[in-house]
């Protein structure tokens, strides 16, 4: 293999151990393939390669010496903008397809076609229904479910261009909706926004980079609509996450259990697998697995079941091949998105069964089991039985499970955060948060989202930036593979708060944690869920903005995707900018070939929307730039940055006088 030093690949010691196994057995991984891809094409890296029609590919010379126009006449700005918009459209399609799947399951549940699902969180369903304008008083639950599903599906079907998608319209603060509406950025229909992005970027259509990027922001907001509905309906179906203590990293794989990993994004299957695992425990024990069945998570479906049920998370995106190398993974069950096509090749060297479950997401070499919600339990049982069968074919001599796990306190949905705050101020739960932002104990909030990327040592940028900001009293939220990185690194623990939080932040997390009965501080990093659950951070920001009577762009809130990789990450970053949030990217996006597009997303966006991209690959500099952005927002709100004094207990703390802008 081309890899020479596993330590440069990942900062996760369990991954490093397994990479040595890959080396020794000559098994390719993402890292060895990354090495084989070097050097990567400079035209592609800068966004100056166009493949939109069959006359191409056309390349623009970045230095101005060679060709400056594609064969059709497109210039560098058009080429870069078109490809960026297509990335956003693909990201929106992925998230919203996930959302559609959940919405259709709700519809089918209300029609009596699904028997293995129910509304587990009725309270959440009613809150959401009311927010979207569905009457709830005195009505049968399934009638409400039906209307909510219909209303949601309308966001995929509406043909009235002037009627914004319901979920966005019902969820964002009024000033932001007005701004987005005035700029023509509010989508009317998710599918139409995706189709229009593809259409306007076809050969011979939109060739104005500004107009293209504005179109991209419209599809990015369609993506947010899809994420919102996916998250909120999943909460109604499977439960809204509450704090729960679990574990993370490859040590969660058990030698004496049938280990089944769920990998992908959609909880419709993974949640049912968690449910039925207990029913088949005896079969696993009869097969020789004395610890029964052990479900573990990978990537975002792992996050979904981790935050709802405390299922241990084995790993995040980049190291998803490595659980197989332990020799003790009996099956990996795949649904959709961020699944490496290499998995069956790696599994060929072991006994692990790789099972695809979605018609639209098959992999050559994997076993396909078509998952249908109407037969959810039956399908899930068949899948787990495949794992029990595979267990019988293990080679015990090849088992090497890294003895590395970390505790992780997870499950911080917006509702859970508000509930914890309510233990301090039941009448006005957000007030303690506002007070401590105003008095400087909390300087601001950062949301870490996004992926892993072989261009960065796995997880290292997440860890470095979070430590740097937490020390400066910035409250840290995380979703997706960012959350996976922090869970594996032990940063979702009370010890991490004691070790890394600045004094002000520590005092607040301690006061809330103790008041909420955790017997110590909240963890340093609050796990909000999977990537679609970035919408939870928007809900929190919206609640804060509404409370203060300001816009999201006024809040001391930043977002960061230090190891961004997918088109989904591109579109998430884009809607964060559209919402007015300074958004850091640690991976240089393929736009640097166009000064015009680079300027649009880093500067013009700021003037128009308040949000903008900060591209910075150095973690310390990135932390400095985000902290500066937070300070700018604090200044804008008229909050003086006070010397940070620890507080004994929030409940006893004297409420600071709010500055004029905030009262
Ligand atoms: O949706 S963070 S690598 S697993 S895209 Fe994928 Fe990126 Fe991970 Fe979840 Ni999100
Ligand atoms: Fe070349 Fe234009 Fe075709 Fe792109 S669309 S490949 S620039 S001819």
């Amino acid at each position: 293999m081309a890899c020479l030093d596993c330590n440069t690949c990942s900062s996760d010691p369990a991954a490093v151990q397994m990479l040595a196994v890959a080396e020794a057995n000559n098994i390719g991984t993402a890292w060895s393939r990354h090495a084989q891809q070097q050097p990567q094409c400079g035209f592609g890296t800068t966004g100056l390669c166009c493949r939109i029609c069959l006359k191409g590919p056309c390349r623009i010379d970045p230095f101005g010496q060679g060709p400056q126009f594609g064969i059709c006449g497109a210039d560098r700005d058009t080429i870069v903008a078109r490809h960026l918009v297509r990335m956003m459209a693909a990201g929106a399609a992925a998230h919203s397809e996930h959302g559609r799947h959940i919405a259709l399951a709700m519809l089918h549940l209300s029609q009596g076609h699904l028997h293995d699902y129910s509304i587990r969180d009725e309270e959440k369903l009613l809150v959401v229904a009311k927010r979207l304008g569905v009457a709830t008083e005195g009505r049968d639950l399934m009638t409400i479910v039906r209307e909510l599903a219909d209303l949601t599906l309308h966001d995929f079907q509406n043909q009235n261009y002037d009627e914004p998608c319901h979920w966005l319209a019902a969820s964002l603060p009024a000033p932001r909706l007005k701004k987005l509406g005035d700029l023509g950025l509010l989508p009317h229909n998710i599918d139409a926004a995706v189709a229009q992005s593809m259409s306007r970027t076809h050969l011979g259509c939109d060739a104005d980079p500004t107009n293209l990027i504005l179109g991209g922001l419209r599809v990015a907001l369609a993506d947010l609509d899809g994420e919102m509905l996916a998250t909120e309906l999943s909460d109604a179906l499977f439960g809204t996450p509450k704090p729960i203590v679990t574990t993370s990293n490859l040590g969660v794989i058990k030698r004496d259990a049938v280990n089944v990993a769920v990998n992908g994004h959609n909880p419709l299957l993974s949640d049912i697998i968690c449910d039925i695992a207990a029913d088949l425990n005896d079969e696993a024990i009869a097969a020789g697995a004395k610890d029964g069945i052990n479900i573990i998570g990978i990537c975002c479906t792992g996050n979904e079941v981790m935050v709802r049920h405390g299922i241990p998370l084995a790993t995040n995106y980049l190291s998803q091949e490595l659980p197989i190398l332990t020799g003790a993974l009996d099956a990996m069950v795949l649904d959709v998105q961020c699944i490496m096509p290499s998995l069956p090749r790696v599994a060929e060297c072991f006994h692990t069964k790789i099972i695809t479950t979605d018609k639209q997401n098959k992999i050559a070499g994997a076993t396909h089991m078509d998952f249908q919600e109407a037969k959810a339990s039956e399908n899930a049982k068949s899948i787990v039985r495949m794992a029990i069968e595979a267990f019988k074919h293990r080679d015990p001599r090849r088992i090497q499970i890294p003895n590395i796990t970390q505790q992780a306190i997870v499950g911080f949905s917006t509702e859970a955060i508000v509930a914890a705050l309510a233990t301090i101020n039941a009448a006005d739960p957000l007030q303690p948060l506002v007070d401590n932002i105003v008095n400087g104990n909390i300087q601001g909030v950062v949301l870490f989202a996004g992926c892993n990327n072989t261009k960065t040592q796995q997880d290292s940028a997440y860890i470095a930036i979070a430590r740097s900001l937490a020390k400066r009293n910035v409250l840290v939220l995380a979703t997706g593979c960012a959350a996976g990185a922090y869970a594996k690194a032990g940063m979702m623990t009370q010890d991490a708060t004691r070790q890394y939080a600045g004094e002000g932040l520590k005092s607040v997390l301690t006061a809330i944690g103790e008041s909420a009965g955790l017997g110590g501080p909240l963890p340093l990093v609050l796990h909000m869920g999977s990537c679609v659950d970035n919408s939870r951070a928007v809900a929190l920001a919206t609640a804060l903005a509404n409370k203060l009577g300001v816009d999201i762009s006024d809040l001391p809130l930043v977002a960061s995707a230090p190891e961004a990789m997918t088109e989904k990450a591109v579109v998430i970053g884009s809607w964060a900018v559209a919402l007015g949030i300074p958004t850091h990217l640690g991976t240089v996006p393929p736009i640097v070939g166009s000064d015009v597009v680079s300027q649009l997303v880093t500067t013009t966006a700021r003037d128009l929307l308040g949000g903008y991209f900060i591209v910075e690959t150095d973690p310390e500099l990135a932390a400095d730039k985000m902290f500066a952005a937070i300070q700018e927002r604090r200044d804008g709100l008229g909050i003086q940055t006070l010397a940070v004094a620890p507080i004994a207990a929030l409940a006893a703390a004297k409420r600071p006088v709010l500055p004029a802008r905030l009262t």
Side-chain angles (χ1 to χ4, degrees), residues 258-260 273 276 280 283 287 293 329-333 351-357 366-371 378-394:
V258 172
N259 293 296
V260 182
I273 287 192
I276 62 105
L280 299 183
E283 288 183 33
I293 292 165
L329 185 70
D330 302 300
M332 195 187 291
V333 186
H351 71 292
T352 312
K353 197 92 181 159
I354 303 292
I355 305 161
T356 55
T357 60
T367 301
H368 187 72
M369 148 70 67
D370 204 32
F371 176 71
E378 190 186 320
N379 289 166
K381 275 185 186 156
S382 304
I383 288 169
V384 174
R385 286 193 172 118
M386 281 189 215
I388 296 172
E389 191 51 38
F391 170 84
K392 297 175 188 165
H393 301 285
R394 267 194 200 176

Side-chain angles (χ1 to χ4, degrees), residues 520-532:
L522 292 180
L524 184 73
V525 180
L526 302 182
H527 192 325
M528 293 196 101
S530 65
C531 264
V532 291

Side-chain angles (χ1 to χ4, degrees), residues 355-440:
I355 305 161
T356 55
T357 60
D358 184 292
K359 272 192 204 66
Q360 295 176 45
N361 294 265
K362 296 186 180 180
I363 305 176
T367 301
H368 187 72
M369 148 70 67
D370 204 32
F371 176 71
Q372 294 165 8
E373 286 84 39
K375 298 181 188 164
S377 282
E378 190 186 320
N379 289 166
K381 275 185 186 156
S382 304
I383 288 169
V384 174
R385 286 193 172 118
M386 281 189 215
I388 296 172
E389 191 51 38
F391 170 84
K392 297 175 188 165
H393 301 285
R394 267 194 200 176
D395 179 350
R397 291 164 305 179
R398 301 192 69 192
I399 296 178
Q400 299 185 59
I401 305 171
N403 186 19
I404 296 174
T405 52
Q406 290 284 354
Q407 186 201 61
I409 307 171
V410 303
F412 291 93
S413 56
T414 313
E415 290 83 349
I417 293 173
V418 172
L421 289 164
T423 61
I424 290 170
N425 184 341
D428 193 356
L430 289 178
Q431 191 61 45
L433 187 56
V434 170
D435 289 347
N436 282 280
I437 291 174
V438 172
N439 72 16

Side-chain angles (χ1 to χ4, degrees), residues 78 82 196-208 212:
T78 297
R82 279 197 307 214
Q196 285 165 350
S197 299
M198 295 308 287
S199 149
R200 74 194 302 159
T201 54
H202 185 274
L203 166 86
C205 295
D206 201 351
D208 175 340
L212 277 161

Side-chain angles (χ1 to χ4, degrees), residues 3-20:
C3 281
L4 293 176
D5 178 3
C6 302
N7 286 303
T8 61
C9 292
S10 179
S11 65
D12 171 358
V16 171
Q17 267 188 41
M18 283 295 104
L19 284 171

